[in-house]
Amino acid sequence: MHIRLAPSILSADFSRLEQEIKAVEAAGADVIHVDVMDGHFVPNLTIGPVVVKAVRKATSLPLDIHLMIEHPDFFVNAFADAGGDIITVHVETGYHLFRTIDLIKSCGKKAGVALNPATPLAAASEVLTEIDLLLIMTVNPGFGGQAYIPSMTAKIAQARRMLDAAARPIELAVDGGVKADNSRTVTNAGATMLVMGTEIFHSGDYRGKMEDVRRRVGSWTP
Ligand code: DX5
Ligand code: ZN
């Protein structure tokens, strides 16, 4: 199957954001991953709807808005209006996940849920009837360039089994420390979407890097 590659613009050169996005699109990206951080849920601040609106103008690729923010319900509409296509919220940030997912869908967007490395998969098991994407964090969210937590491979494999049992089309995305070197491990475990920040944007050869990853994961079948 086609593994979807989602460059995370967190590691792009923000002084040339439009060119960076166009460059990864031209180099074969499938999705643009946008990391939104609030300085509360994670110890970093990044971008808001104004920048997402600019990103939207730079590409026709789907935008996956990864909300690493408390009270995501307050911001779903703004990120939907700004041009997000998939809106992903952390299960750790809300009391009423069905309500948040409903809100995302009521905006006509795809709904994703994300799990921190220490959060058990069971935290997402009740919403598999609703979601379009499950995002497994393989670093503690907040920064690009961190090391993949090796024990997460078993969690991805367990998530694969959970999604297969759900028998619905749900993207299994993996985010954090994904490199060409471990891409095959991650897709062998069952990931269908690879989020990659530093590995792509710090490579100097976006096409070469993504082709390298595709070569390594190419023969994976679900
Ligand atoms: C981390 C973000 C990631 C980050 C990944 O909190 O959610 O999307 O950009 O960056 P790398 O690929 O460098 O680990
Ligand atoms: Zn992310």
Side-chain angles (χ1 to χ4, degrees):
M1 87 172 276
H2 181 70
I3 299 292
R4 301 216 289 165
L5 300 185
S8 161
I9 59 167
L10 186 62
S11 298
D13 177 351
F14 273 71
S15 69
R16 304 173 50 255
L17 190 54
E18 181 183 8
Q19 295 99 299
E20 290 274 73
I21 290 165
K22 288 188 187 312
V24 287
E25 179 169 7
D30 298 288
V31 171
I32 300 293
H33 183 88
V34 182
D35 287 309
V36 176
M37 304 187 186
D38 68 348
H40 293 271
F41 177 60
V42 290
N44 197 4
L45 276 171
T46 55
I47 67 177
V50 171
V51 176
V52 171
K53 208 168 167 182
V55 171
R56 176 72 290 162
K57 283 203 271 181
T59 180
S60 55
L61 291 178
L63 303 183
D64 178 17
I65 312 296
H66 179 191
L67 294 181
M68 288 162 276
I69 63 174
E70 292 181 354
H71 307 298
D73 294 19
F74 294 167
F75 292 98
V76 164
N77 279 306
F79 284 103
D81 290 347
D85 296 288
I86 309 166
I87 298 184
T88 298
V89 296
H90 270 264
V91 299
E92 301 87 359
T93 60
Y95 294 118
H96 309 296
L97 195 52
F98 278 105
R99 180 176 288 150
T100 307
I101 293 166
D102 278 351
L103 175 60
I104 295 169
K105 290 174 151 186
S106 73
C107 297
K109 307 300 180 180
K110 291 189 169 177
V113 296
L115 302 176
N116 279 341
T119 302
L121 282 173
S125 64
E126 304 303 326
V127 297
L128 298 180
T129 50
E130 317 296 318
I131 60 173
D132 302 293
L133 179 146
L134 179 65
L135 179 67
I136 304 292
M137 290 304 305
T138 42
V139 299
N140 290 292
F143 304 94
Q146 302 180 82
Y148 178 90
I149 300 171
S151 61
M152 291 298 105
T153 304
K155 187 179 184 183
I156 298 164
Q158 200 187 336
R160 177 77 269 151
R161 291 193 288 276
M162 189 171 88
L163 296 190
D164 287 348
R168 287 187 60 242
I170 302 172
E171 191 89 59
L172 181 52
V174 172
D175 184 5
V178 179
K179 313 275 180 204
D181 277 352
N182 62 10
S183 56
R184 179 69 188 219
T185 303
V186 171
T187 57
N188 272 353
T192 55
M193 181 190 283
L194 303 179
V195 178
M196 300 172 94
T198 49
E199 181 72 346
I200 291 174
F201 281 107
H202 293 188
S203 71
D205 176 8
Y206 303 161
R207 176 174 293 279
K209 180 58 73 177
M210 283 192 267
E211 282 178 357
D212 181 18
V213 173
R214 287 199 196 283
R215 259 194 308 278
R216 291 168 188 252
V217 304
S219 59
W220 184 83
T221 46

